Amino acid sequence: QVQLQQSGPGLVKPSQTLSLTCAISGDSVSGNTVSWNWIRQSPSRGLEWLGRTFYRSRSEWSYEYAVSMKSRITISPDTSKNQFSLHVNSVIPDDTAVYYCARGSAGALDFWGRGTLVAVSS
Amino acid sequence: QSALTQPASVSGSPGQSITVSCTGTSSDVGLYNYVSWYQHHPGRAPKLIISEVNNRPSGVPDRFSGSRSGNTASLTISGLQPEDEAHYFCFSYRASSTWVFGGGTRVSVL
């Protein structure tokens, strides 16, 4: 059974960087047929897919980001710790949301973390 | 404003059947088979209940089913149970390596 454990601060100041980590058990971040995704949910934006990373081959990784976030977002795999991270730069109050990590497989998100509420406030 | 349109709420009595719709466009729901549905109880991790339009993962009760007609996907719950009261949302691939969600539907069991 795949389990995803999220960690990271619940409060970030405007203009700073939001950073969250998703630790994976029961699978490998380097798995060939899966992707590792970040999603967020807020009252103003609803559910929003932010981006994903997946392993291709020969130590090469692919990264895909939502167009609306592309200039501010980075998703990073960490094979040594079997986890992946989300970094959102220059946050504003509208980035306040519950952030989820999830595994992608066969076009669906089959395992999710429990979510982390991140507030952007001074 | 979500990319896929769902009704805000749907309700039914125990044992009844209900349907939740998810309307997109010919660039997402109507074009790709990567349409999935999720059940979400607040405070818990969302749970995949339908993948690839109409596939039910192992362990999901067979009262949950998915279908599609044109640009609209549908989730049907047959024989509604009290534990089915939750939020449900759809998710679809859209061209250019983008994925989109529905706004979510609150299902109430009367």
Side-chain angles (χ1 to χ4, degrees):
Chain A
Q1 180 80 346
V2 175
Q3 292 188 326
L4 303 177
Q5 182 66 46
Q6 298 181 220
S7 60
L11 180 64
V12 182
K13 289 182 167 49
S15 79
Q16 294 190 342
T17 298
L18 180 160
S19 296
L20 296 173
T21 296
C22 184
I24 303 163
S25 58
D27 198 354
S28 169
V29 72
S30 303
N32 285 331
T33 60
V34 296
S35 65
W36 303 99
N37 297 257
W38 285 98
I39 299 103
R40 69 182 180 183
Q41 183 176 30
S42 67
S44 61
R45 294 177 169 270
L47 279 156
E48 185 178 12
W49 176 81
L50 300 178
R52 68 176 185 167
T53 185
F54 55 94
Y55 183 71
R56 296 178 63 180
S57 63
R58 295 178 293 180
S59 300
E60 291 186 358
W61 292 80
S62 285
Y63 304 90
E64 295 173 350
Y65 300 122
V67 171
S68 63
M69 298 295 293
K70 205 164 189 175
S71 63
R72 296 197 293 135
I73 189 176
T74 303
I75 295 176
S76 306
D78 184 341
T79 56
S80 66
K81 296 181 179 179
N82 201 33
Q83 64 186 29
F84 63 109
S85 299
L86 169 72
H87 303 281
V88 181
N89 301 322
S90 305
V91 295
I92 60 176
D94 196 40
D95 291 315
T96 294
V98 177
Y99 287 77
Y100 295 95
C101 60
R103 188 183 83 163
S105 178
L109 302 169
D110 58 355
F111 292 97
W112 294 63
R114 294 190 65 171
T116 301
L117 175 60
V118 179
V120 177
S121 174
S122 54
Chain B
Q1 192 169 2
S2 300
L4 306 178
T5 301
Q6 296 182 233
S9 62
V10 174
S11 61
S13 299
Q16 285 188 329
S17 291
I18 63 164
T19 297
V20 179
S21 61
C22 170
T23 301
T25 70
S26 57
S27 297
D28 39 61
V29 172
L31 182 60
Y32 299 101
N33 287 333
Y34 289 147
V35 179
S36 51
W37 289 91
Y38 303 83
Q39 179 189 63
H40 189 200
H41 291 99
R44 293 163 61 176
K47 176 185 177 183
L48 174 66
I49 55 173
I50 296 290
S51 65
E52 295 179 281
V53 178
N54 55 17
N55 289 341
R56 197 172 46 250
S58 174
V60 175
D62 60 6
R63 64 179 182 273
F64 293 95
S65 63
S67 63
R68 179 179 57 191
S69 176
N71 298 333
T72 298
S74 298
L75 170 71
T76 298
I77 308 176
S78 306
L80 197 62
Q81 300 292 312
E83 61 265 32
D84 298 334
E85 185 161 291
H87 287 91
Y88 293 81
F89 56 88
C90 58
F91 181 60
S92 173
Y93 180 71
R94 176 178 283 178
S96 303
S97 301
T98 299
W99 300 78
V100 290
F101 281 99
T105 298
R106 177 174 180 164
V107 169
S108 299
V109 182
L110 303 175

